[in-house]
């Protein structure tokens, strides 16, 4: 069992566990090298030997406690039959929704389409580089997946309210939840030791809509994952009330974004906490970067805390800074 699971379960650990969202990605020259030869992002993710190589790249460089699989949250729409492409300098572009086709997708069809991801997990979990580290599988949250499926691209700061007038939206939610459960179960059976749920667009919802679109489906997915015997970390980015989210959804740990006040979180949330530091801190000079890291480590000193960022590592980050940061966290007492 890895240090992250141990931390969550209250076992004695010698130092703060650390991993990063987007630890495998464009800031690494060895990733850019593979990416330049593989221009289709979906195909790259669905090539188990290449996606395994990318997933382990950060572990070869840094003393991290977990590997997160190189994949994407948009594989749920993909598995449901919606087309998904990634365009340079634009991001994801999704195709039209064929409801009859989507709502008719069976568990078997979903599993079959995502099978290369399970193959990736199987071969990665056997690699000796993993040793006793955690292998993190993931899914997007129902709400964030629905936003992409209906909006067909990344939303701006504000939502197009039309997405709530979609007549088949409730059926779509049910279908997404079904696909998420299959995807989580398959990842766990293939060797994922932890699951993270990314709700990148949680902050876009008004309080009165949160119950239906976030609390209810996320609670269902969290309970489902826990019943599989695996811990689940939720990242409801920019949500206004983390305390309430934790009370209702009850994940094994909560990942916080960089806009929230860590002192307030430390006072009001008593489940294990992850992350928080602004990824831009890695663009500062070494001393300023470490001053920021120290702040988070001090604030959460008496808390179960997993070091991570408040969002993914930025592409312009220098790998040397990631190394300095990881070593600092590991030595911090
Ligand atoms: O290292 C890891 O964190 C694991 C891999 C991972 C990726 N995406 C790879 C990726 C994970 C966990 C994700 C999650 C994801 N994907 C989220 C939730 C987290 C977040 O960032 O808010 C979202 C919203 C997506 C959807 C997505 N995928 C977008 C909006 C984009 C384009 C924007 C961008 O950052 O380039 C992607 C592409 C993507 N997913 C890349 C990577 C490494 C960049 C691929 C490239 O162009 O080389």
């Amino acid at each position: 069992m890895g240090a992250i699971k141990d931390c969550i379960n209250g076992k004695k650990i010698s130092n703060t566990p650390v991993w990063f969202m987007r630890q495998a990605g464009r800031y690494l020259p060895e990733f850019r090298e593979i990416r330049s030869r593989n221009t289709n992002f979906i195909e790259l993710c669905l090539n188990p030997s290449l996606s395994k190589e990318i997933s382990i790249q950060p572990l070869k460089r840094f003393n991290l406690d977990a590997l997160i699989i190189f994949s994407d949250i948009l594989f749920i729409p993909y598995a449901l039959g919606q087309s998904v492409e990634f365009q340079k300098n634009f991001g994801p572009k999704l195709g039209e929704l064929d409801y009859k086709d989507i709502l008719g997708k069976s568990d078997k069809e979903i599993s079959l389409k995502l099978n290369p991801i399970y193959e990736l997990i199987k071969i990665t979990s056997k690699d000796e580089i993993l040793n006793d580290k955690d292998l993190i599988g993931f899914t997007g949250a129902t709400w964030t997946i629905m936003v992409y499926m209906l909006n067909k691209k990344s939303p701006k700061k504000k939502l197009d309210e039309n997405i709530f007038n979609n007549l088949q939206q409730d059926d779509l939610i049910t279908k997404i939840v079904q696909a998420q459960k299959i995807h989580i179960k398959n990842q766990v059976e293939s060797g994922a030791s932890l699951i993270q749920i990314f709700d990148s667009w949680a902050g876009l919802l008004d309080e009165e809509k949160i119950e239906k679109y976030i609390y209810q489906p996320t609670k269902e997915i969290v309970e489902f994952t826990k019943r599989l015997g695996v811990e689940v970390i939720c990242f409801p980015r920019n949500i206004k009330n983390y305390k309430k989210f934790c009370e209702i959804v009850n994940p094994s740990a909560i990942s916080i974004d960089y806009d929230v006040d860590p002192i307030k979180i430390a006072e009001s949330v008593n489940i294990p906490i992850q992350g928080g530091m602004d990824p831009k801190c890695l663009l500062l000079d070494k001393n300023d970067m470490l001053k920021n890291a120290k702040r988070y480590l001090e604030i959460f000193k008496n808390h179960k805390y997993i070091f991570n960022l408040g969002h993914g590592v930025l592409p312009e980050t220098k790998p040397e800074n990631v190394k300095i940061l990881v070593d600092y966290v590991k030595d911090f007492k």
Side-chain angles (χ1 to χ4, degrees):
M1 189 154 74
I4 295 173
K5 268 175 104 88
D6 284 348
C7 169
I8 291 174
N9 291 317
K11 297 230 169 91
K12 230 181 139 45
I13 40 175
S14 44
N15 43 34
T16 306
V18 51
W19 70 280
F20 300 113
M21 296 185 263
R22 288 286 165 93
Q23 65 186 30
R26 283 164 297 190
Y27 74 104
L28 288 176
E30 57 272 34
F31 169 79
R32 294 198 298 271
E33 199 276 315
I34 295 181
R35 183 78 169 98
S36 69
R37 288 187 280 114
N38 296 274
T39 49
N40 184 321
F41 181 74
I42 297 282
E43 278 175 17
L44 176 58
C45 292
L46 294 179
N47 178 326
S49 67
L50 284 179
S51 51
K52 176 194 166 193
E53 176 59 29
I54 294 171
S55 306
I56 65 178
Q57 281 175 346
L59 277 76
K60 286 184 177 164
R61 280 182 180 254
F62 317 119
N63 187 15
L64 296 160
D65 290 293
L67 173 149
I68 181 160
I69 55 160
F70 182 72
S71 184
D72 203 89
I73 64 163
L74 298 179
F75 277 103
I76 296 286
Y78 171 86
L80 290 172
Q82 189 175 20
S83 71
V84 181
E85 289 175 52
F86 288 84
Q87 289 183 354
K88 218 175 172 178
N89 306 323
F90 180 82
K93 219 176 189 170
L94 288 82
E96 288 306 310
L97 291 168
D98 177 346
Y99 282 100
K100 198 162 162 274
D101 181 57
I102 288 177
L103 300 178
K105 281 275 183 287
S106 69
D107 288 6
K108 214 171 153 193
E109 284 171 294
I110 294 168
S111 295
L112 205 63
K113 263 197 114 168
L114 299 182
N115 196 52
I117 301 176
Y118 313 133
E119 205 44 49
L120 150 72
I121 296 175
K122 281 181 197 151
I123 58 174
T124 306
S125 63
K126 291 195 194 100
D127 195 291
E128 58 186 31
I129 198 162
L130 205 64
N131 197 2
D132 59 349
K133 295 177 195 293
D134 285 300
L135 191 157
I136 303 178
F138 67 87
T139 171
T142 315
W143 161 248
T144 286
I145 293 173
M146 187 188 106
V147 167
Y148 277 105
M149 290 184 82
L150 295 174
N151 197 57
K152 302 191 180 69
K153 57 179 179 352
S154 293
K156 298 255 154 38
K157 293 248 169 322
K158 231 178 106 58
L159 266 183
D160 178 355
E161 286 287 319
N162 275 335
I163 76 164
F164 298 110
N165 301 329
N166 186 296
L167 293 176
Q168 277 167 301
Q169 176 204 278
D170 287 2
D171 292 337
L172 188 59
I173 292 178
T174 308
K175 199 68 197 177
I176 295 171
V177 169
Q178 178 202 338
Q180 287 174 292
K181 286 183 179 172
I182 300 163
H183 192 37
I184 290 173
K185 185 164 182 279
N186 287 336
Q187 291 183 75
V188 169
E189 283 174 357
S190 304
S193 63
L194 266 171
I195 295 290
Q196 175 146 321
I197 301 176
F198 289 91
D199 208 348
S200 306
W201 300 109
L204 291 181
L205 266 188
D206 298 337
E207 192 59 35
E208 96 268 8
K209 294 203 173 74
I210 286 189
E211 174 68 32
K212 172 174 177 180
Y213 294 97
I214 295 188
Y215 294 155
Q216 268 187 40
T218 314
K219 186 171 173 352
E220 190 176 335
I221 302 290
V222 163
E223 282 170 1
F224 175 84
T225 311
K226 286 183 174 176
R227 278 201 300 274
L228 297 174
V230 163
E231 292 78 3
V232 50
I233 306 171
C234 282
F235 179 40
R237 182 162 73 97
N238 283 131
I239 202 156
K240 282 144 205 108
N241 194 336
Y242 273 98
K243 182 174 187 278
K244 195 166 169 200
F245 178 92
C246 291
E247 282 164 5
I248 296 174
V249 176
N250 196 23
S252 316
I254 184 87
S255 204
I256 57 171
D257 66 83
Y258 54 84
D259 280 331
V260 297
D261 178 355
I263 297 174
K264 275 207 189 112
I265 294 281
E267 283 166 3
S268 62
V269 169
N270 50 31
I271 66 169
I273 293 168
Q274 168 177 280
M277 190 173 96
D278 193 332
K280 285 195 205 80
C281 294
L282 280 119
L283 310 178
L284 302 172
D285 69 54
K286 183 185 153 191
N287 287 340
D288 287 332
M289 171 177 79
L290 296 182
K291 220 169 21 192
N292 280 283
K294 184 165 187 245
R295 179 162 173 257
Y296 278 88
L297 289 163
E298 294 279 2
I299 290 171
F300 293 113
K301 220 173 165 155
N302 299 315
H303 219 97
K304 290 175 191 164
Y305 183 60
I306 303 155
F307 196 90
N308 201 318
L309 305 172
H311 204 190
V313 178
L314 296 165
E316 55 270 41
T317 304
K318 285 199 197 96
E320 302 81 79
N321 280 6
V322 177
K323 177 159 180 19
I324 293 168
L325 178 58
V326 171
D327 291 344
Y328 179 80
V329 174
K330 290 267 128 195
D331 289 340
F332 185 85
K333 290 272 183 274

